[in-house]
Amino acid sequence: MASLSTDVLVIGGGATGAGVAWDAALRGFEVLLVDRADLSEGTSGRFHGLLHSGGRYVVKDPRAAEECIGENRILRHVLADCIEDTGGLFVTTPWDDPDYADRFVEGCRATGVDCEEISPAQAVGEEPRLNPEISRAFRVPDGNIDSWKTVWSMARGAQEHGGRVMTYHAAVAIHRDGDEVTGARLRDTRSGEEVDVEARVTVNAAGAWAGRVADLAGIEGVRVLPGRGIMIAMNHRLVNTVVNRCQMPTDGDIIVPIRTVSVIGTTDQHTDDPDDHTVLQAEVDAMLDDGEKLVPGFRRARALRVWTGVRPLFEDAKADSTDTRDVTRAHALLDHRERDGVSRFVTITGGKLTTFRLMAEETVDAVCRQLGEERPCATKTTQLPGSESGRHYRLGERLERKEQHLRDEQLICECEMIPRSKLEATMRRTGTMNLDDIRRLLRLGMGPCQGGFCIYRATGILHGLDGISAEDADGALLHFLQERWKGVWPILYGDQLRQARLDDWIFHGVLDVEHLPS
Ligand SMILES: Cc1cc2nc3c(=O)[nH]c(=O)nc-3n(C[C@H](O)[C@H](O)[C@H](O)COP(=O)(O)OP(=O)(O)OC[C@H]3O[C@@H](n4cnc5c(N)ncnc54)[C@H](O)[C@@H]3O)c2cc1C
């Protein structure tokens, strides 16, 4: 069996694990980041897209609010290219307790979240689709953040400092020598081959799966209570500012404008299985109704897609119920030397995507403590690859860039403006045969047609690359279509239903996709 060695092995390639890898690499550690799937295929790639100002938690969870506003300010600088500075509004709708607004203002003051009250008329003037019946409105520094770009730029940053990244490698065993963790066994989830990794310290950053990874190390009681939530993307920006209902956090109370869409979310249902991606029709209906409360006419917009993510909520002593909203959104760092007498092993879970950098900093501090080394953290001030200019992402920027070359380039995905050269270069660079991996990198097939017009072209291009058989290319096409379908069927009405019929004619009627010749 092959073997590798490293200073720090990080299990879990979401925002937290990639953040740990970036932080540790900057401190001069040799790092290996592994994920059982692609980077950001867990909760980080399935979240709502909100760079929290902290406003959502000022009354219910002040600690989480303070962490969010602190990190919000730092990320705007170090991750500028991954963030759009949309700003945010908290508004009191006729369905909200009017007394909450004063508690909200007091909470913002106590936790340091910037908040300015503006008149409802001004809010509706700025966001004309907003419910005109709102009675109060507050401006906060919310924004949106692109998690795929964020995670990949941290992985790239770690690689530039000598780090290694292994996707599609699951930790299937954690090695122990008495009271010490000495590394892990990884299994390539595509080929089945195994590799042993020897590490000075192993970090468990497996999010909602962290309890399972801790179990592999024989450590008991790491309970992560998975909270499943759904989100729905509408096909254009119904608002340009993040809009939150000014009330205790509940379902369907935030709309986040991100890229060319707006996303409403979310719900919070206890589940026993972090891989549970059930979408209930009742949840979808309730979510669309909630959208109407913030933006009247919401249901008439075209719903593109629904998806789920699972919150990694660490269960603390106070929460022995299964109401996941009552578990803290703040994170949990478990130094297993202190907690369980097992050294060279650290677990980090819980928190928010907005707080991943802080979580990573505290984790690598714990790694240093275990190794008895002092190496200061540099992620507060070091800009990630791609963010060196300090300029935030701006809607329209991609179109402007592309317009200069559109006539020279063959466009493969019109919705997301992906030219052939970029698609080919990405396929060659990553060597992946999974078109869903390409989707996460380039947004292939993420527009209104959900791949209907571009994915057979992309498959042809994949097949044209060296060494890819027709069978593999067909398999990639089918896999992509099946994955897309999961997010489309629960919201089939209006224009998206027409689109789905058209896609069905293309793929079944014309191509007979399930019986392609090999
Ligand atoms: C519905 C919903 C909406 C949210 N919205 C927001 C929001 O708007 N803003 C915000 O700040 N936060 C939001 N969050 C919270 C945020 O998304 C998560 O806290 C964050 O993404 C967790 O990141 P992570 O890296 O810890 O976990 P993950 O991203 O889940 O990463 C864990 C990784 O571990 C991998 N893994 C698991 N087991 C193994 C193994 N055995 N071997 C190797 N790899 C393994 C998984 O494949 C996964 O990629 C939301 C969460 C949910 C559920």
Side-chain angles (χ1 to χ4, degrees), residues 11-17 34-36 41-44 47-50 52 169-171 205-207 209 213 227 229 231 266 309-312 350-354:
I11 300 171
T16 309
V34 302
D35 198 287
R36 62 178 190 158
E41 209 177 313
T43 310
S44 298
F47 85 134
H48 199 168
L50 175 59
H52 280 278
H169 279 78
W209 297 264
V213 171
M231 290 138 285
T266 168
V310 177
R311 288 182 185 79
K352 314 283 312 160
L353 192 123
T354 304

Side-chain angles (χ1 to χ4, degrees), residues 95 127-133 232 234-239 255 262 264 285 287-303 493-495:
W95 292 268
E127 284 297 346
R129 288 200 179 88
L130 204 53
N131 189 337
E133 303 289 312
I232 302 176
M234 310 305 279
N235 84 325
H236 61 275
R237 289 183 48 146
L238 296 163
V239 286
I255 303 177
S262 359
I264 184 155
D285 285 340
M287 188 69 62
L288 295 173
D289 286 344
D290 287 331
E292 290 285 332
K293 293 175 182 161
L294 280 167
V295 171
F298 190 88
R299 265 183 177 278
R300 289 200 301 277
R302 176 168 167 178
Y493 66 89
D495 285 340

